[in-house]
Amino acid sequence: MGGKVAQFIASRRPEGLVGLILVAPAQPTPRHNPDEMREQQLHAYHNRENVLKAIGSGRLTARPPSPEILEQIVEDSMSGSHEVTMAYPMESILEDISAEVANINVSNGAVRGRTRSGRFNRTTQDRSPGLPSERRVQDHQGDRPLDPD
């Protein structure tokens, strides 16, 4: 969701914006998840068990977080208001900002990570049609620093 917000803000061409780096961004077009996945998203923050289930699904992290980080994730996940936790699965995921994204006029790039199977996730170009073509997708495995170039 943060990537979708960042793309929308960048499309407004705020003064001082010189570049945009997206990390595994949400697509700017509406995403219609299967009913089972949507139902999981609706209840992901209701209790500790559901938060742990979401973290353990393999969709959010490539490897299990440390116990300290895990506790912080659970605490942070459960601290949002009901309105906030419902915004993504009920509204934001269905919004289409692709026309706005075409207005981004700064250099931009994206980072994607490997899945547990070792394959890279879909490219940001697949997820973000309409982003300017100067964007560069950088593969990242999480065990080495990002290339600043």
Side-chain angles (χ1 to χ4, degrees):
M1 184 61 211
K4 197 168 193 175
V5 171
Q7 291 173 75
F8 184 78
I9 291 171
S11 76
R12 298 290 191 232
R13 301 178 176 175
E15 186 177 334
L17 181 66
V18 295
L20 177 66
I21 301 295
L22 302 169
V23 179
Q27 62 195 42
T29 54
R31 180 174 175 153
H32 300 281
N33 288 330
D35 290 342
E36 182 180 336
M37 182 183 287
R38 185 169 183 270
E39 199 59 32
Q40 289 172 347
Q41 289 174 327
L42 290 173
H43 301 288
Y45 304 107
H46 283 184
N47 56 51
R48 179 181 178 81
E49 180 183 351
N50 287 0
V51 172
L52 291 171
K53 203 181 299 181
I55 295 166
S57 70
R59 295 181 58 81
L60 302 178
T61 62
R63 55 182 164 262
S66 70
E68 297 81 20
I69 298 295
L70 182 64
E71 287 307 313
Q72 187 66 56
I73 293 170
V74 170
E75 183 181 321
D76 290 349
S77 296
M78 294 179 60
S79 68
S81 70
H82 179 73
E83 292 79 14
V84 168
T85 59
M86 292 293 104
Y88 181 70
M90 297 294 291
E91 297 175 30
S92 303
I93 196 170
L94 302 173
E95 289 185 51
D96 187 348
I97 64 164
S98 55
E100 288 86 354
V101 167
N103 294 323
I104 297 174
N105 67 341
V106 294
S107 296
N108 53 84
V111 178
R112 64 182 180 170
R114 285 192 189 272
T115 64
R116 288 184 182 198
S117 68
R119 295 189 327 240
F120 282 102
N121 292 328
R122 291 179 297 163
T123 68
T124 301
Q125 188 168 357
D126 294 339
R127 293 174 150 238
S128 299
L131 263 178
S133 59
E134 68 218 49
R135 180 191 30 165
R136 182 175 67 122
V137 175
Q138 179 178 342
D139 297 333
H140 184 65
Q141 296 182 27
D143 57 354
R144 58 185 165 79
L146 295 174
D147 177 7
D149 297 327

